Amino acid sequence: MTSDGDSECAGVREKHGCYQGNSEPGPCCHDSRLVKLDHIEISLILAKCSLLELTSNNYISTLHPGKICLLYFTKSDTSFFEELGDSVDALHDYGISVAKVNCGNEDSLYYCTKEIACLFRGTKLLREFPTDTLFDVNAIVANVLFVLLYNEMKYITSTSEFQDIESNMKGKKDVVFVYVRAIGIPEHRAVMEAAFVYGSLYQFVLTTETSLLENISRGRSDFVPAKLIYCHCKAVTSPTHECQRSSSDQPLSTLNIHRFLKLMNAPLVAEVSGDPDKFTSVHIQLGLPLVFIVCEKETYDADRETAEHVAWQLLGKAGVATLSRDTSGPYIPGNVNVGVKTVEEDVPIRYLLLDESQEIIDLIENTKNQKNEESAEKHIHGDQETQDDEVAEAVYRDRKRVLPLHLVPSLTAETFRMMVTSKPHSMVLFYASWETVSLTFLQSVLQMAEKYKDALDVSLGRVNCADMNDLCNEQNITDIPIAKIYQSGNDPLLYTGMMCADELARFLMLSKLDLPLRLPTMEDAENYLSAVFHKNNLPYHSFSALGIFTSHTEEAVDALTEAGKSLTGFINVAIYCGERASALSEKFGVSPPAILFTWSDDKTIYGVSLQSLTAEEIVHLIKHQSLGVFPEITVENFPSFFTPKKPLLLLFSDSRIGHRDGKSIQSLVRGRYLESYRTGWINLNNTPVGYGVLKRYFGFIPQLPVLVLIQFDVRSPVFALLSDQHLTEVNILYWLEMIKGGAELPIYSLLKHEWKAPLHDYDFLAIMDGTVPDFAAQKIPIKMKSQKVSTEGKEVQGPSASLRGTGPRFPANDKEPGTHPEL
C-alpha cells in the first residue's frame, strides 16, 4: 500500500507522461512530502525528476495519448547517457518526459537495432535523432522543440521564402527572423525556448544560411554566431509597403531575446507631461537611456515626426518621448530642444541644443560604444588568461578546437625525402608547435587542404622544427613559419604571401606553371590575353602580364625573364618575341619593348612601354599594375597597396563603384590628376573592418560614400569629404587644394591613438621589493662628475647625484630640434 504522498507523486508523473507502470511509482520524484501543494509547488517537484530507465518490454506503457516523450534506445551505457540525463529537468519544463530504454539482447524491436533517440506523441513517432545530433543538453532541447514547434518556427533557406512569409504576415503578425551558425548550438536553444513562449504572438523564422543573412542584413556574416532581426509587419496595411526591420546587437540568450521583444512592443514614442525626472518607461527599467524631444505647440507635428524618425533609428537601443513645453515648461531650461535621461539614480536629465536629428543618434551610439569599450577593457584586465598578443589570444581561445591534422601529415626526415623526390608537386609547412603564428598558419593550411582537396593535386606535409631541428637546418629554414614548394627539376619556391587558405591555394595552383611562358605565335599571345588560355586556372587567375619584344631587345627580355621567375605563383608572366610583335603592340597603342596587362574579371587590356627597366623595377611595375587603376582595397592586398611616401586617398562605399561619386574619382585617376596620391576604394560589404576605421575617424558611421585623405607626416591628419558635398571632379580637386592651403581642418589624427598593449605591464622590480625591501634597488653607487657646458657665455651646471636626467646635454643650436611625439 502506498502513502498519500506516493499516490499524488504518481499522479503528477502520469499527468506529464512520465509514468513507469500501472500503479508502481518510478524515479521521477525524490521527495513525496512536497505533493500536497498548489500548481507552483508541483513545478518544483517536476524539477527534481530524474532519468527513467525502461526495458523494451514495458516502454510502450509510458506513451500516453497526447503526451510527448523522448526515448533513448540502447544496448549499452555510452557517453550520450550522461547528456540525456542532464536534459531531463530542462525538457520537463515543457511537459516532455525523457527515458532510457535498455534493449539488452533484443533484436526483434526496430528501435533496438541501432543507437537512436526517438520522439513520440502518444504512440506516434514524430522524429528519430541520430545520437551525434544530440551532442549536449542545448542540442537535445533545441532539436526536440524544433520538431514540436514546426508551425511556430519556419525553417527557410532562400530569400524568396522569407519574402513570401513577410508578405503573408503583413497586417497579421510581426516576424522574428533568426540566423544561427548551426542547429543545436546554445543560440538555437535560446531561440526555440523563445518560440515556445511567444509563438502565438510572432511568426518565427530560422535559417543557417549565411547568404540569406547577408541578403537581409546587408553585411558579412563570416564571424556572426547568431543574429536576430525583428520585422515590423503587423502595422503594414498595404501589400506594396515594406516591413521595417530592427536588428538586435546583443548575444542571443533567452534573457536577451525576451528583453529585445519587450522593447519591440513598447510604444514607439511616448508623450510626457509634468516633471520628466519622475517619468519612467520600459527602457529605463531595462537599463537603456530615454531621449526627450522638446515640443513647441506651434511646431508639434514637425517635432513629433522628428521624434518618430529618431525612435526608429534607436529602436532597441534607447527610448524616445516627446516633452511638451506647454505642460512641462517649469522643468525645462529655455534654450534646449533635447534631453537625455539615463538609468543612474540621482543623475539629472542632460539637456542639449542640437541642430540635426543625426546628432541625437550619434550621441546615443557613442555613449553606448564607450560603455562597451569600458566593459570590454574591464573584462580583459580581469581575465588572468587573456594574452596581450592578439595572435596568441586567438590561438588560446581556439585551443579546444579539433583540427583535421590527418589532411596534412607530419613528416620525418625519411618521409620528407620520399615525398619531395617522388611527387611532382609538394608543399611542406615548416613550423614550431610552441609558436603562435606557426599554429595560426597551420590552421590556414589545414583549412586549405580541406576546402581545395579535389582541386589542388599537390602533396601536403608538415615538419615541426621543434622536434626535427636537423631537417630544418638542412633545408635552410631560418624563419618560421614558412611554406616551401618542391617541384621536380626546379629549385624550391618560398611562399611569402598572406597566411590564409585562399591565397595559399592560389599560389599552389599558379606555381605549377614554368614562368615566364614562351609564346611562339601571335595567336598564342592573343589567346593568352583572353580568358581562353587561363580557363584551367580560373578562379585562381585574375591578372596576367605579357611582354612583347622584337629581336633587338635581348636585355629587356632577360630582365623580364628574371622578373617572371621571381613572380612565380603570384602573377602569370609570358613573353612573345615573334615576327609580328610590332603589329601586336601597335594594336594596343604601345611600341616594343612593352608589357601588356590584362584583368580577367573586366577583360580590359592596358599597355606600358619599357624604357631600360631592371628586373627589380619590372617586378615593382607588374605588382603595382596588378592592383588596377583604381583598386578595391582588401585586407589581403593592402600590404602591396600601401606606401607611406604618398598620401592615401580612399573612397569608402557600401556598394559597387557604379554610381556618380565613384565614377568621378575614377575619371580623375585615369586622367592622371591624382598621381601624387595613392588612390583606391573599400567596399564595406566585402571588407567590414572598414566600418571600424570610419568609427575611429568620425566617432560614428557617416553617410556613404565618403572620401578620406590620410597624410603621413608628423601629425598624420585625416581629412574627409562627405557625400552630401557632392563628390564631383571639381569638388574633389578643390577640396584637395584647400587641404594643401591649410584651409581644411582634419577630422582625426592618427597620433591620437595610443599603440599600447591591451594589458597593464607588470613592474617586476616593485613586486620583488615588495617581498624583500630594497632587494631589487640599485646597490652600486654611480657618481657623475659635474660638467660645465658653455652656452652663449653662460655656465650650465650638470647634475651630480640623481640617476634621473643623467642623459648627455649638448650646447643649444640655432634651431630647436624637431619634436617627434610618435616616438
Side-chain angles (χ1 to χ4, degrees), residues 527-538:
N527 288 337
Y528 179 84
L529 294 174
S530 67
V532 176
F533 185 89
H534 307 283
K535 62 181 180 180
N536 293 330
N537 286 327
L538 294 175

Side-chain angles (χ1 to χ4, degrees), residues 451-514:
K451 183 176 181 181
Y452 297 97
K453 58 184 177 182
D454 297 328
L456 279 179
D457 192 26
V458 176
S459 299
L460 303 175
R462 54 189 168 91
V463 173
N464 185 359
C465 291
D467 300 328
M468 306 292 295
N469 189 42
D470 292 341
L471 178 58
C472 293
N473 288 335
E474 178 186 312
Q475 295 299 312
N476 296 322
I477 303 301
T478 57
D479 296 310
I480 53 169
I482 194 165
K484 217 168 183 182
I485 291 82
Y486 296 87
Q487 298 174 325
S488 56
N490 294 321
D491 293 334
L493 293 175
L494 292 180
Y495 176 68
T496 58
M498 293 286 292
M499 294 184 186
C500 60
D502 295 334
E503 288 294 312
L504 181 56
R506 179 178 179 273
F507 181 88
L508 291 178
M509 295 299 294
L510 296 181
S511 65
K512 296 178 183 179
L513 299 175
D514 186 13

Side-chain angles (χ1 to χ4, degrees), residues 71 241 305 396 481 486 568 615 653 659 685 783:
L71 301 182
H241 292 172
E305 184 178 345
Y396 175 79
Y486 296 87
T568 298
S653 177
H659 46 72
N685 289 332
K783 296 182 179 180

Side-chain angles (χ1 to χ4, degrees), residues 8-9 12-13 28-38 40-50 89:
E8 294 195 30
C9 186
V12 171
R13 288 193 298 273
C28 268
C29 302
H30 290 274
D31 194 346
S32 60
R33 292 173 297 174
L34 298 177
V35 293
K36 292 184 178 180
L37 302 173
D38 58 15
I40 297 177
E41 289 167 323
I42 285 177
S43 298
L44 294 178
I45 295 174
L46 291 176
K48 291 180 175 291
C49 287
S50 59
D89 291 342

Side-chain angles (χ1 to χ4, degrees), residues 152-305:
E152 290 82 357
M153 178 69 78
K154 298 290 187 184
Y155 182 82
I156 62 174
T157 58
S158 65
T159 305
S160 60
E161 291 178 280
F162 177 72
Q163 291 172 344
D164 291 341
I165 292 175
E166 266 195 325
S167 299
N168 293 333
M169 289 298 109
K170 288 179 180 178
K172 301 175 184 177
K173 287 183 180 181
D174 289 334
V175 177
V176 179
F177 170 84
V178 181
Y179 161 83
V180 293
R181 189 178 64 249
I183 298 297
I185 62 176
E187 292 85 356
H188 182 211
R189 174 184 175 178
V191 171
M192 295 311 307
E193 290 178 329
F196 185 89
V197 177
Y198 298 105
S200 60
L201 300 178
Y202 313 105
Q203 177 60 64
F204 284 82
V205 178
L206 181 73
T207 189
T208 55
E209 299 293 328
T210 57
S211 58
L212 177 55
L213 173 63
E214 291 170 359
N215 290 338
I216 293 175
S217 63
R218 297 178 183 177
R220 294 292 296 272
S221 59
D222 295 351
F223 304 104
V224 179
K227 185 75 173 178
L228 187 149
I229 300 175
Y230 189 95
C231 307
H232 305 265
C233 296
K234 187 176 181 179
V236 178
T237 56
S238 173
T240 59
H241 292 172
E242 298 292 332
C243 302
Q244 295 208 54
R245 298 171 184 171
S246 304
S247 298
S248 171
D249 56 0
Q250 297 295 316
L252 253 61
S253 66
T254 303
L255 181 61
N256 284 341
I257 294 174
H258 167 77
R259 183 175 180 270
F260 186 71
L261 294 179
K262 191 172 183 179
L263 291 172
M264 294 300 101
N265 280 278
L268 182 64
V269 177
E271 293 189 359
V272 181
S273 59
D275 187 356
D277 281 307
K278 297 180 180 179
F279 178 79
T280 187
S281 69
V282 64
H283 301 85
I284 296 293
Q285 296 167 7
L286 294 177
L288 297 177
L290 181 63
V291 177
F292 294 105
I293 306 295
V294 180
C295 297
E296 304 286 350
K297 185 176 181 180
E298 297 79 7
T299 60
Y300 177 79
D301 291 338
D303 294 336
R304 175 76 185 189
E305 184 178 345

